[in-house]
Amino acid sequence: MKNIIRAEKVNKIYPNGCHALKDVSVNVDKGEVIVIVGPSGSGKSTFLRTLNQLETINNGAIEIDGIDMYARSTDINKLRQDVGMVFQGFNLFPHKTALGNVMLAPLKVANRAPKEVKKDAESLLKKVGLADRQDNYPNHLSGGQQQRVAIARALAMTPNIMLFDEPTSALDPEMVGEVLDVMKDLAKEGMTMVVVTHEMGFAKEVADRVMFMEDGELLVSDTPNNFFDTPSNPRLQKFLSKVL
Amino acid sequence: MQLNLKSLFWNAIFVLVLISVCWLIYASGKRIDYNWNWERVVPYIATNAASSINAPADGEIVLAANNQLVLQNLSGDTIVELGGYSSLSVYEGDLIFEGDSLATIEEWRIGPILQGVITTIKISAWSLVFALFLGLFIGLMRISSNPALKKLSVVYIELIRGTPLLVQIFIVYFFIGTVLDLERFTAGVIALSVFTSAYVAEIVRSGIQSIPKGQMEAARSLGMNYPKAMIYVILPQAFKQTLPPLAGQFINLIKDSSLVSVISITDLTKAGREVVSGSFAPFEVWFTVAALYLILTSGLSWAIQALEKKLSASD
């Protein structure tokens, strides 16, 4: 089966000399759920952001659905429509209602008919359990609700891949569950997902593969069982002993 | 209750201070050797004084078929119908020469001061629109990653903010106006909008930069290109942020528009100066002019506040 994401020896060096990613290679199959864990500053968020070119890379190669991201002929805006992203800080558009947030990209990027877009947006909000809050502005929603709207917004462009950048880290503990539930549903539907998170429970339950990054290096990539129960890498053992 | 009394007390102090300032102005007006004649200003604002209808060409007054007087020219064509006027100064059979008074009419006409208000509104409105677009454009250049655009905008802003508006008006009118053969009004609008746009550009820049980076990232991650992300995500939010400083800038624009009177545009200020020389009531006229500017600026200020309130629905 062809990989839907192929990252080959990705290197990222910031202008200040910080070497954030060192030869990171990851292949993801269609429908796979990948969870990346690691201490803060390990480069896991940076790596995730290279997958839709919010961060450019210095060398290496990234292919999404067989399309080379850095080929001259590649339209990055088109490619990004296929890769939904959910941010730690939600980043909802505060001047639009929940419905408006979900509708904006299909209307302005895909140029679809407003009636159809509205119908789809309403069913997406229903899917994340916010049908009754569609006319609320983000500032009138709780963190968990905002993040669920953000997921619906990313899904509105019908992406094949969803990236989650610490989606529950900015949430109050009692709201983490509702966001994880939406993500679990997505995983069940067969969505290809790459998730950066500190929720080890989620990784154990949902992930097909769990990856461990530290200091810009991808050290371990294994099934959740092997990853958590029989870790062989000493640095992973040390990390797990701190977080579990 | 305690708090209520306290606020009542200080509100009373406020009213008291206002009253004493007004009294002071009134008293000093009385003290000086000056006859206050406020009623003299009124006809310069609007008047219903009789004005005469003059004959546009030579002719004769005849009784037309509908039993009404008309002025016929020498070849027998009707050129003025006099049926509508109540106070005629001609009779049937009169021989009329061009410029003769045919009738007088009483209707409300606006005086030079209101005419000046209209000019000031016109010049401010045009300048406001141009300054907004130009300022937005320059402001976007200012945050652009292209060094040429960025540096050009910096030079523009520094050049315009570093020279007095009065001098700019002279340069635009006498130099650019001569080169491009501009009318006074156009020159005035150009000078004012160029001047204001430099300030608007800085306001736009700070407004855009105050929007969290995540907003642009979220927009781009949905597949929007940079212009679309700007138009649909960043600018609507920045606009809301910049409304209060923009309001201040546009109020300044209305006040600055008084400077165009130096290139003989009869705006409110120049109208005031002309009326002073005709009415011999300088104090009254200038107070009136000030009050009219105040009405214009507070009108704008009120309108922008209403807009702000409308946009605050998402807060």
Side-chain angles (χ1 to χ4, degrees):
Chain A
M1 193 178 181
K2 210 163 184 262
N3 299 131
I4 194 166
I5 301 174
R6 281 169 55 87
E8 282 270 322
K9 300 210 162 187
V10 170
N11 275 278
K12 167 84 188 176
I13 303 159
Y14 281 107
N16 63 11
C18 170
H19 201 156
L21 296 175
K22 297 169 189 160
D23 284 339
V24 178
S25 297
V26 174
N27 292 331
V28 183
D29 286 334
K30 195 161 174 49
E32 246 191 317
V33 177
I34 306 287
V35 171
I36 307 177
V37 299
S40 57
S42 60
K44 51 194 194 310
S45 281
T46 308
F47 175 67
L48 192 76
R49 288 160 58 88
T50 62
L51 296 181
N52 68 352
Q53 219 189 87
L54 282 183
E55 300 281 355
T56 54
I57 62 177
N58 295 78
N59 60 60
I62 296 174
E63 273 182 25
I64 302 291
D65 232 346
I67 300 165
D68 179 3
M69 185 183 279
Y70 287 90
R72 279 199 149 214
S73 56
T74 304
D75 177 359
I76 186 62
N77 295 319
K78 189 123 192 152
L79 198 137
R80 278 176 178 149
Q81 295 173 33
D82 201 34
V83 185
M85 182 150 194
V86 175
F87 298 85
Q88 180 178 358
F90 327 136
N91 296 356
L92 286 183
F93 308 138
H95 61 300
K96 298 263 177 204
T97 60
L99 193 66
N101 266 277
V102 181
M103 288 173 67
L104 189 66
L107 282 179
K108 303 302 179 188
V109 179
N111 290 318
R112 290 172 50 206
K115 238 184 180 164
E116 203 183 303
V117 169
K118 187 161 185 247
K119 226 178 90 196
D120 288 356
E122 280 169 350
S123 68
L124 275 173
L125 284 174
K126 199 171 156 198
K127 185 173 164 182
V128 298
L130 290 171
D132 53 332
R133 311 306 296 269
Q134 63 175 41
D135 294 323
N136 286 57
Y137 284 97
N139 288 341
H140 301 158
L141 295 172
S142 73
Q145 289 170 334
Q146 286 191 51
Q147 194 59 300
R148 284 187 281 154
V149 173
I151 294 174
R153 178 178 70 176
L155 289 173
M157 294 301 285
T158 57
N160 282 315
I161 302 165
M162 285 285 283
L163 309 177
F164 293 84
D165 186 4
E166 305 198 19
T168 55
S169 298
L171 294 176
D172 291 336
E174 77 270 21
M175 292 169 183
V176 170
E178 60 191 67
V179 172
L180 291 181
D181 284 345
V182 172
M183 291 166 65
K184 282 174 198 165
D185 288 346
L186 261 183
K188 266 183 220 150
E189 287 169 21
M191 175 66 77
T192 312
M193 292 163 61
V194 182
V195 185
V196 169
T197 187
H198 296 294
E199 295 295 328
M200 297 303 155
F202 177 82
K204 272 184 200 169
E205 188 187 335
V206 185
D208 294 309
R209 265 191 295 158
V210 187
M211 297 181 179
F212 174 64
M213 282 184 80
E214 196 177 62
D215 291 332
E217 283 176 285
L218 181 66
L219 297 172
V220 178
S221 167
D222 216 334
T223 61
N225 282 339
N226 291 343
F227 189 92
F228 291 106
D229 301 338
T230 53
S232 53
N233 186 302
R235 283 156 86 180
L236 173 57
Q237 285 169 354
K238 209 173 144 198
F239 174 72
L240 287 178
S241 70
K242 278 186 208 154
V243 296
L244 288 180
Chain B
M1 195 61 211
Q2 192 67 35
L3 208 92
N4 224 333
L5 266 177
K6 211 171 165 185
S7 104
L8 203 70
F9 171 75
W10 286 108
N11 277 314
I13 293 284
F14 164 72
V15 173
L16 215 69
V17 170
L18 272 193
I19 289 174
S20 34
V21 167
C22 288
W23 178 83
L24 219 72
I25 294 171
Y26 178 78
S28 34
K30 281 280 176 210
R31 252 172 70 93
I32 52 174
D33 187 17
Y34 186 81
N35 288 321
W36 292 86
N37 279 308
W38 284 99
E39 68 279 2
R40 264 199 220 159
V41 182
V42 178
Y44 292 98
I45 298 171
T47 174
N48 66 345
S51 63
S52 73
I53 304 297
N54 295 333
D58 298 351
E60 194 185 358
I61 301 294
V62 293
L63 203 59
N66 57 1
N67 216 17
Q68 287 189 336
L69 290 175
V70 295
L71 171 65
Q72 278 185 352
N73 67 6
L74 298 177
S75 37
D77 302 323
T78 303
I79 46 178
V80 179
E81 290 192 20
L82 299 170
Y85 301 112
S86 50
S87 53
L88 291 181
S89 38
V90 289
Y91 300 96
E92 190 186 350
D94 281 358
L95 211 55
I96 300 293
F97 295 102
E98 186 180 334
D100 285 357
S101 173
L102 302 176
T104 55
I105 181 168
E106 274 192 15
E107 60 177 0
W108 279 98
R109 279 167 295 125
I110 54 173
I113 287 185
L114 265 194
Q115 203 69 258
V117 170
I118 291 170
T119 307
T120 290
I121 291 176
K122 263 194 204 159
I123 204 163
S124 303
W126 278 111
S127 307
L128 189 148
V129 171
F130 284 125
L132 198 58
F133 280 100
L134 202 60
L136 179 63
F137 193 67
I138 307 277
L140 286 173
M141 279 168 71
R142 181 81 177 69
I143 55 164
S144 156
S145 54
N146 180 325
L149 292 179
K150 190 175 184 155
K151 283 176 182 166
L152 274 174
S153 66
V154 172
V155 168
Y156 178 91
I157 291 169
E158 290 304 317
L159 217 63
I160 301 299
R161 290 202 309 186
T163 48
L165 175 57
L166 192 57
V167 176
Q168 287 171 18
I169 291 173
F170 282 133
I171 292 177
V172 169
Y173 181 56
F174 289 113
F175 177 64
I176 302 176
T178 313
V179 175
L180 299 176
D181 197 20
L182 296 179
E183 281 194 40
R184 286 172 208 288
F185 187 82
T186 321
V189 169
I190 290 175
L192 277 175
S193 33
V194 163
F195 179 77
T196 308
S197 70
Y199 291 87
V200 171
E202 281 294 283
I203 293 172
V204 167
R205 179 191 62 79
S206 68
I208 290 175
Q209 285 178 342
S210 74
I211 305 301
K213 240 178 96 193
Q215 290 291 315
M216 183 51 112
E217 286 182 349
R220 298 304 300 272
S221 78
L222 289 166
M224 289 189 201
N225 56 22
Y226 182 82
K228 275 185 183 170
M230 265 293 163
I231 292 169
Y232 297 118
V233 176
I234 307 297
L235 287 180
Q237 297 180 55
F239 180 65
K240 199 171 125 186
Q241 296 264 332
T242 52
L243 263 185
L246 273 184
Q249 198 54 50
F250 289 143
I251 284 167
N252 272 346
L253 171 65
I254 292 179
K255 293 185 291 175
D256 289 341
S257 75
S258 66
L259 287 175
V260 299
S261 59
V262 296
I263 53 171
S264 283
I265 295 174
T266 312
D267 72 329
L268 182 50
T269 302
K270 181 150 186 287
R273 212 152 54 205
E274 283 169 3
V275 168
V276 164
S277 56
S279 66
F280 304 106
F283 293 1
E284 296 89 331
V285 169
W286 288 125
F287 276 119
T288 310
V289 166
L292 287 168
Y293 271 114
L294 197 63
I295 289 172
L296 290 185
T297 50
S298 46
L300 181 70
S301 165
W302 172 83
I304 291 183
Q305 262 171 36
L307 187 61
E308 249 178 275
K309 210 167 177 183
K310 215 178 140 194
L311 288 176
S312 69
S314 63
D315 285 341

